[in-house]
Structure formats: structure tokens, C-alpha cells
Amino acid sequence: MNRIQKFFTKIKGLLVHRFFQVLLFLILGLFAYGLMFSNVKPEKIQVELFKPAEQTIRSTKTVEDTYKTEQEKEEISKQVADVYTLKKEYAKNKVDLISSIFDSAIEVNKETDPERDKKEEGKEDKKEPIKTDAQKVSILKEKLTDEVNKNIEDSVFLALVQADEDELEIAKDSTITAVNNVMSSRIAASDVENAKKKVVEELGYMSINSDMKKASNSLARTAIIQNVFFDKDKTEEQRRKAIESVEPIRILQGQIIVEENQLVDRDVYRQLELAGFLSTESTIYPYIGLLLFILLTFGAFYYFFYFSISKRDNKYNQLLIFSLVFILSMATMKTVSVLADLKNSNLEYIFPGAMAAMLIKILLNDKLAVAMIILLGSYGTIIFNGDTPGNLDFSMGLYIIFGGLAAIIILSRPNFKSKVLIAGLLMSLINMAFVFSLIFIMDGHYTKMEYLYYAAAAIGSGVGSAVLTMGLLPFFEAGFGILSSMKLIELSNPNHPLLRKILIEAPGTYHHSVMVANLAESACEAIGSNGLLARVGSYYHDIGKTKRPHFFIENQMNEENPHDRLQPETSRDIIIAHAVDGGEMLRSHKFPKEIVDIAEQHHGTTLLKFFYHKAKKQDETTVEACYRYPGPRAKMKEVAVIGIADSVEAAVRSMQHPTPEKIEELVSFIIQDRIQDGQFDECDITMRELSIVKHSLCESLNGIFHSRIEYPEPDKLGQKVKE
């Protein structure tokens, strides 16, 4: 592991230079390009007309099938019926014509009436009455047009002039009514004869003489004509609307054009030509598109790493970890994709996509974990496209992104970082629910075995992600010297050899460390720092006291204090040594740097006031600097908080009757003393955060040292019982 750590340390040293940073991103981009190259490479498909296809061919793009679209339009156009328009004015015209004929006949009869002549005998210029029917017919024809005269038989005119006025009125009303009734309905050219028969039937009930009835029938038959005519404009308009309603027939992206061993007929051949499979021209557009896609994604990540991460060591560490997890995940993704294609199954759902999110979440932070899963999801749409150029498997991309985000959320819950396997089991359930949601949305028809297969793949993905995460974490922690939450939880185990050493050899120190851990953890979480690191660091911060446990007051159980017999210089050296000894002991046991720093820095360069003042009484020339801890001062917020909690716990424990007011006063004094002593000058803790730390410590101490009921002494208690 040391060699691996040295190797990564050398690489981090190179990444200080901008050139190597850019080079690393170029290497990652080329790696991704190489993995996805086969997924965008245009296939050379060999097909021949009227021969079976050697493979199943899916369309790589959506294209309109213009031939079938035109066929559909022609079919729809033929189905549109011709539009015929009813000429309503024809009925009125014919009614008016019939009415005019009868009115003219009535006028002729009045003009040739002998009785009228007798009444007008006394008048001058009296006309000679016309008596013959032929003359009457002639006069009647003169009142009508030539076209009307031509279409009406002479027998009809004769019957009209021979009838009296009452008969003419009856015939007129009946004929007009019958013609109007029949002509009001639609009469096509083929229906004219039936309509004429119908009008005759309606006139059959007239109570007039037979000649007049025949004349009425003849006039009515003459009036019945076609009143429905083909409307070309409206017919064309209806056909145009029908054609416009036809949706273009498309060959959709991913649609199977021809199955393996299916005969390639002319229609299939034409579709293959439309989809571009028969083109002999080579294209570079897929390669350019993939290159642009990779440049965009890695350009964005380079910008993020260069401008968003301020601490240089942390930046290069994160960059290397991110790169390694990316390479590992992409290689796994490609392997699963190739296996899925070989077995011609949906094996891709077993891909442990959440592994990358879990590793980055535990080793780095949430932001990079989200970025990683989005990157893998977008690349997964290409890699899992079934080696069909142009296809993008968006469902697989969503599956990877959704699963990764769920893993990040699950691991964000308290204590779940220590339960990665449980998180993996929850991930399995979430993956299974998501896969079935996709299946049901697409309304696929699957067998029970296929459903079981999908469920098994989803469970395998979740559990596999957890197992791989647990297996890879130690390598990343050792290789990069990362103190992960899992490592901290491992170190917090009471059965750890060093914790047992403290418990057995310095029980007072152990109790003190546990108390400090409780105080420091609450305070760190209140200001948003790493509470778990503060707790575990507090457990080991006084490990150096195990070398000389009885020289520290918390371990002196009713014993004489050895410092009473020692010179201040000797006592000073023993007390100061516990910070240095603790750091050396932790290093020898390969403890993380952060825990070692806590042991060495929790006292900073504070002054041993008791022994300094004792020495000052003996020698006025005593130098204050000689009675200060060697440091260094706190570099992290967690160290600063532990240092305050360490002093506060010891001071409050020594108080006779601690009250909330006394505790608050003491905590304020210790914090102000450290501020004035410059103990936080090398730490980025703020005054506001120190105020929050003070409030948290006071709350915790008040809960620990709360006032208790004073019970009476045993003798008095017995006396009361007797009473």
C-alpha cells in the first residue's frame, strides 16, 4: 500500500502544473472515446433483394416513408364520398312556374267567358267573345314562353281551358303542394323518375274530372327535375382536408426494419434505402458528434475542478479519485454491455451504476457524486445502445442516474455510511421498482420468467454496487490516505487495541475522552463540521497519557499526586510529552493523519499555567515560552473545538457545585482566553462559529451536570422511616 500511496503522491505532484491537469482530462476523454467508438461506428450491412437478411436491422434515425405516406393519402382520398349540393331554389322556381300556368289559364277563361260579355253589352268598343277551345289554347300559349309551350302537351292546355275556375283553383293548389313536397327532398339524376311517380301518387286524391287530373299529373311530372348536383369544389375541399389529416408515416429510430432470416422484399429494401443502410458513402459525423459530446462534458468538469475547489491538495486528491472511479465505472459499463450483446439479453440492468456514486459520496462529497452519476448516465445511453449507431438507450441512462441519486440520498441519512450493504439492499428494491415502472410504461408483454430476470438483475445491481463499494474503499483509503466515515467508525469500536489500552491503563482518561467526544461531536455538528471525526479524534486525543497515566489527575484514585514531589520543569515535561507521545503512538499504529493531528494539536501552544506560576515563585527569571506546549496550533475546526471541549470538561468537572451560570461563565472565559492567546490564528473558525460552539457546549454540560435531589443521610432516613 505504501508503494501505491507513493505513486499517487507523485502523480499529485505532477498535477500541480496546468499542463498535466489538461493532459489528465485528455487521457480520460480519449479513454471514454475509445470505449464508445464502436457504439457510434456506422455498420456495413450486407443485404440483397429477395434474399434473407443476415441480421436484425434497426433504424438509426427517424425518417419519413414518403412512398407509404402518399399511398395512405391516395387511399384516404378515395374514401372521401363525392359531395352533392341541393339546389333549393329549383323547388321554388317550379312552384312559381306551375302557379303561373294555372293563373294564365284562369285569365284566359275569364276573358272568353260569355256571361262576362253579356254584362258588358252596353259598353263601347266591346270585343267579340271567343268561343272555340282551339282559340283559347292559342291565347293561353301566347301568355306563356316558347320553352314552356314546348315542354307541355296540347292536351294539357286543352284541359286547362275547358275547366272552370273552381276546378283550376283546386288543381292549382294540389299540384303546387305536391310539387313543393317532392322537390323539397333530394332528387338525384337517378331518382327523377321515382320522384315523378311520387308526385303523381300525391295528386291521385284530387276530386276533379279525369281530364283535369291528367293535366295536373302531366304538369307536376314536368316540374319534377333533378335538384342535387355534384359539387366539385366542395368535394376537392373535403379530399384536401382528409389528405391533410394524414400523419406522415415514419420509420422510427430503433424500429426493426427487418428481422434476422426475414426475406428482404422490395418494400423492406426501400425502407433500408430510406434509412441510409444501402448508402455506400462513408460518414464521419458520428465520430465528430461523439468527440463534441466528450469535449463538452470534460470541459465542464475541468472548469469545475479548476475554479470551484480552492484547497490545492484537496483538489488534486479529488481529481485523481474522480478519475480512477470514472475509469473503473466506464470499464465495468463496457464489459456489461459487451456481455449483454453476446448473450442477446437485457443483462445491462445488472450494471452496478450506484457504485460510483457511493464511492464518490463516501470518499469525496455529494456534489462530485451527483456529477459523476450524471456523467455515467449520459455515457450509458451510448454504451448500452446495443451497438446500433445513432441509437441512444435513454431508459438505461435514466436507470443509472436514478439509481445513483437514490444511493446518494440513502447514504446521506445518519449512520448509513457504516451500513453500505443495507444501503445496497435498499438500492435493490428501488432499482426493481424503477425497472418495472419502465416496463409497465412501455407496455411490454413479458413472461413470468422475464419479469423474474429483470427483478434479479435489479437486485444484483444494488447488492453488487454495495459489495464493490465495500471492497474498493480500503484501497482508495490506503492509496490516498483518506479518512472515510467507514474508517472512522471502525476506529470508534471500543474493542480497538488502543481504546482498550486507554480503558485498562488510564480509566480516568478514558472517561474524560468519552465526555470530550460527546461535547465535541455536538459542537462540530452545530457549526457544520465533521462530528464523527471530532468524536473519534476525542477518543484518542490523550492516548499519550497511557505512558505515565498516574501523573494525570483524572487517573489518581485517592492517591498522592506525584507532581507534589517533582520540580515544575519535570512536571512540565511529563505533561507536555503526552501530546507528542500520543502523535508518535498513533503514527506507529498507522492511524490517519487527521487523528494524529488532533492528538498533537489539541493543546496548541497553550500555557501550563499551574506549573508556570509554581516555577515563577521559585525563580522569577522563568520564561513563559518554556511552559507552553510545542504545538502546532489547531489547523482544523474539529481540532479547535476538541481543544475547547477538553479544557471545558476538565474545568467543569473540578467545580464543586456547577450551575448553568457558572458553566456559561467558565466556557466563555476559556474561549476568550484561547482567542487572546492566538490559538485559532491558523484555523478558519469564525467568531460566529465560536459563539455556536459555546452555546452547544453549555447545553451539553448543563445536561451532564444538572442539579440533583439531595437525599437525607442514612441515619436521618432511617429515623424518618421509623416515624
Side-chain angles (χ1 to χ4, degrees):
M1 288 298 180
N2 288 335
R3 291 181 180 179
I4 296 175
Q5 195 166 0
K6 289 178 181 178
F7 173 73
F8 288 130
T9 303
K10 289 181 180 179
I11 294 179
K12 283 191 286 184
L14 293 175
L15 291 176
V16 173
H17 307 286
R18 181 79 66 84
F19 171 77
F20 288 101
Q21 295 174 19
V22 176
L23 181 62
L24 177 61
F25 275 95
L26 286 175
I27 292 171
L28 292 176
L30 288 173
F31 175 75
Y33 191 90
L35 289 182
M36 293 186 284
F37 181 83
S38 62
N39 296 96
V40 300
K41 181 181 178 181
E43 291 182 288
K44 296 294 183 181
I45 296 176
Q46 301 294 332
V47 291
E48 293 185 35
L49 189 62
F50 301 125
K51 287 189 177 181
E54 296 179 358
Q55 64 186 90
T56 298
I57 303 174
R58 297 175 180 268
S59 177
T60 60
K61 58 184 178 181
T62 298
V63 61
E64 182 182 350
D65 191 337
T66 54
Y67 178 77
K68 283 196 172 180
T69 301
E70 289 302 320
Q71 275 190 332
E72 182 70 15
K73 287 180 179 179
E74 288 181 11
E75 187 65 28
I76 290 293
S77 178
K78 290 177 181 178
Q79 293 176 6
V80 175
D82 293 340
V83 178
Y84 289 85
T85 303
L86 173 65
K87 301 290 186 179
K88 293 182 179 180
E89 64 273 16
Y90 280 23
K92 184 178 182 305
N93 293 340
K94 291 300 181 179
V95 167
D96 291 343
L97 176 62
I98 297 298
S99 178
S100 298
I101 293 173
F102 277 102
D103 289 342
S104 298
I106 291 171
E107 289 178 4
V108 170
N109 287 343
K110 285 181 179 180
E111 291 174 358
T112 59
D113 185 5
E115 297 297 326
R116 180 179 65 84
D117 292 343
K118 291 178 180 179
K119 294 175 182 177
E120 294 180 351
E121 283 180 356
K123 294 184 179 180
E124 296 180 358
D125 302 329
K126 60 182 178 180
K127 298 180 180 178
E128 291 295 327
I130 301 173
K131 302 296 184 180
T132 64
D133 292 336
Q135 290 177 326
K136 291 180 181 181
V137 169
S138 178
I139 294 172
L140 178 58
K141 286 184 176 182
E142 288 178 0
K143 291 179 178 291
L144 303 174
T145 63
D146 293 339
E147 185 177 357
V148 172
N149 295 331
K150 182 175 64 175
N151 293 328
I152 298 176
E153 298 176 356
D154 289 342
S155 60
V156 174
F157 289 125
L158 183 60
L160 289 173
V161 297
Q162 289 177 348
D164 58 29
E165 186 174 344
D166 292 336
E167 286 182 327
L168 288 174
E169 289 291 344
I170 293 171
K172 172 186 174 182
D173 293 339
S174 299
T175 306
I176 288 174
T177 301
V179 169
N180 187 61
N181 289 340
V182 175
M183 286 294 290
S184 295
S185 58
R186 301 175 67 87
I187 303 173
S190 58
D191 297 330
V192 172
E193 194 58 38
N194 290 332
K196 288 182 177 183
K197 291 179 180 179
K198 185 177 180 181
V199 77
V200 170
E201 289 176 0
E202 289 197 17
L203 290 173
Y205 301 101
M206 286 191 304
S207 58
I208 53 177
N209 63 67
S210 59
D211 292 338
M212 190 67 241
K213 183 178 289 189
K214 290 180 180 178
S216 295
N217 289 341
S218 179
L219 286 173
R221 287 178 60 84
T222 304
I224 301 303
I225 59 172
Q226 177 185 352
N227 63 358
V228 173
F229 298 90
F230 172 70
D231 193 325
K232 182 179 179 182
D233 294 336
K234 287 188 177 180
T235 302
E236 292 297 327
E237 182 181 358
Q238 292 296 324
R239 287 175 180 169
R240 178 179 56 79
K241 288 180 179 179
I243 290 172
E244 288 176 353
S245 67
V246 175
E247 291 291 333
I249 297 175
R250 295 182 176 91
I251 302 172
L252 300 178
Q253 182 179 8
Q255 177 182 328
I256 296 176
I257 299 178
V258 60
E259 296 274 4
E260 184 179 357
N261 296 324
Q262 179 184 342
L263 184 69
V264 179
D265 57 18
R266 292 193 181 277
D267 188 53
V268 171
Y269 196 81
R270 179 184 52 76
Q271 291 182 14
L272 290 171
E273 187 175 14
L274 278 174
F277 288 105
L278 304 182
S279 176
T280 57
E281 298 179 3
S282 59
T283 177
I284 62 170
Y285 291 119
Y287 309 123
I288 295 175
L290 180 61
L291 180 62
L292 288 175
F293 184 57
I294 291 175
L295 286 175
L296 284 172
T297 52
F298 278 100
F301 279 104
Y302 177 77
Y303 179 87
F304 174 78
F305 276 106
Y306 187 75
F307 292 102
S308 300
I309 305 175
S310 57
K311 294 182 180 179
R312 300 184 69 183
D313 291 340
N314 194 31
K315 176 191 295 186
Y316 307 138
N317 225 29
Q318 290 188 3
L319 181 55
L320 274 177
I321 293 172
F322 190 91
S323 302
L324 286 174
V325 173
F326 173 76
I327 290 172
L328 181 63
S329 300
M330 287 291 289
T332 306
M333 189 186 298
K334 186 64 177 179
T335 302
V336 174
S337 170
V338 171
L339 290 175
D341 291 338
L342 289 175
K343 294 188 176 182
N344 195 23
S345 64
N346 291 319
L347 187 65
E348 61 265 20
Y349 285 106
I350 205 171
F351 169 65
M355 174 196 69
M358 296 170 86
L359 282 172
I360 299 298
K361 162 73 178 176
I362 295 172
L363 296 172
L364 302 180
N365 55 55
D366 290 354
K367 288 183 180 179
L368 288 175
V370 172
M372 170 65 80
I373 206 64
I374 291 174
L375 184 65
L376 291 178
S378 59
Y379 286 175
T381 60
I382 299 174
I383 289 181
F384 289 112
N385 69 349
D387 284 337
T388 303
N391 281 350
L392 295 175
D393 192 345
F394 290 106
S395 62
M396 193 61 198
L398 285 174
Y399 176 74
I400 295 171
I401 292 174
F402 190 88
L405 293 177
I408 295 169
I409 294 171
I410 291 172
L411 291 181
S412 297
R413 295 183 60 190
N415 300 324
F416 257 76
K417 289 183 179 180
S418 62
K419 302 176 181 177
V420 175
L421 186 58
I422 296 177
L425 293 175
L426 286 176
M427 278 298 309
S428 299
L429 298 177
I430 294 171
N431 285 345
M432 190 160 50
F434 188 77
V435 169
F436 282 126
S437 70
L438 291 177
I439 292 174
F440 295 152
I441 288 172
M442 292 185 290
D443 195 21
H445 299 285
Y446 298 97
T447 63
K448 291 182 180 179
M449 287 302 298
E450 287 175 320
Y451 281 118
L452 288 174
Y453 174 82
Y454 281 117
I459 293 171
S461 174
V463 175
S465 297
V467 171
L468 288 173
T469 299
M470 290 189 296
L472 291 171
L473 269 177
F475 293 97
F476 280 99
E477 291 171 355
F480 291 92
I482 294 174
L483 181 59
S484 67
S485 298
M486 292 187 67
K487 181 66 175 178
L488 286 172
I489 292 169
E490 179 186 339
L491 294 176
S492 68
N493 189 337
N495 292 319
H496 192 282
L498 287 188
L499 283 182
R500 292 188 61 81
K501 180 180 177 66
I502 300 173
L503 177 61
I504 294 170
E505 298 178 9
T509 299
Y510 180 85
H511 179 265
H512 163 71
S513 298
V514 172
M515 297 292 288
V516 172
N518 293 331
L519 296 173
E521 182 181 34
S522 299
C524 282
E525 288 180 350
I527 62 173
S529 293
N530 192 336
L532 183 58
L533 173 60
R535 169 172 286 278
V536 178
S538 297
Y539 288 158
Y540 295 95
H541 79 288
D542 277 341
I543 184 67
K545 291 181 179 180
T546 56
K547 279 197 172 184
R548 305 174 189 87
H550 297 292
F551 283 88
F552 297 91
I553 192 168
E554 66 267 21
N555 298 313
Q556 297 167 5
M557 307 298 180
N558 299 321
E559 298 176 4
E560 182 184 359
N561 191 341
H563 290 289
D564 294 339
R565 304 189 307 271
L566 298 175
Q567 291 296 317
E569 297 85 359
T570 305
S571 297
R572 173 201 64 192
D573 294 340
I574 292 172
I575 298 299
I576 288 176
H578 88 274
V580 179
D581 292 340
E584 291 176 355
M585 291 176 66
L586 293 173
R587 283 194 189 91
S588 66
H589 283 77
K590 308 298 183 184
F591 265 65
K593 182 178 180 298
E594 291 84 351
I595 305 297
V596 176
D597 288 343
I598 289 172
E600 291 182 336
Q601 299 173 14
H602 72 280
H603 283 295
T605 59
T606 55
L607 178 65
L608 286 170
K609 293 181 180 180
F610 178 81
F611 295 109
Y612 169 67
H613 290 300
K614 184 178 179 181
K616 193 75 171 174
K617 289 179 181 179
Q618 297 177 6
D619 184 2
E620 290 292 335
T621 62
T622 301
V623 179
E624 181 183 299
C626 295
Y627 284 83
R628 285 186 175 273
Y629 281 92
R633 295 171 181 171
K635 307 290 184 184
M636 302 184 300
K637 292 180 183 180
E638 291 82 2
V639 179
V641 173
I642 290 172
I644 297 171
D646 182 38
S647 299
V648 164
E649 196 279 333
V652 173
R653 184 160 37 85
S654 65
M655 294 175 67
Q656 292 295 329
H657 298 287
T659 62
E661 293 77 15
K662 289 181 179 180
I663 290 174
E664 183 175 0
E665 183 180 353
L666 179 62
V667 174
S668 297
F669 172 77
I670 290 173
I671 292 176
Q672 288 299 323
D673 182 60
R674 292 211 168 205
I675 292 173
Q676 293 172 6
D677 199 25
Q679 295 303 314
F680 304 137
D681 290 353
E682 298 177 21
C683 178
D684 58 355
I685 195 167
T686 65
M687 294 299 295
R688 181 176 179 276
E689 288 172 334
L690 286 172
S691 176
I692 296 172
V693 168
K694 170 190 167 184
H695 179 72
S696 175
L697 290 174
C698 289
E699 278 192 345
S700 299
L701 289 167
N702 288 329
I704 296 171
F705 297 99
H706 61 275
S707 59
R708 292 175 173 83
I709 300 172
E710 292 188 7
Y711 292 97
E713 295 178 6
D715 293 340
K716 294 181 179 179
L717 181 62
Q719 185 178 355
K720 287 184 178 181
V721 170
K722 290 179 181 179
E723 292 176 355

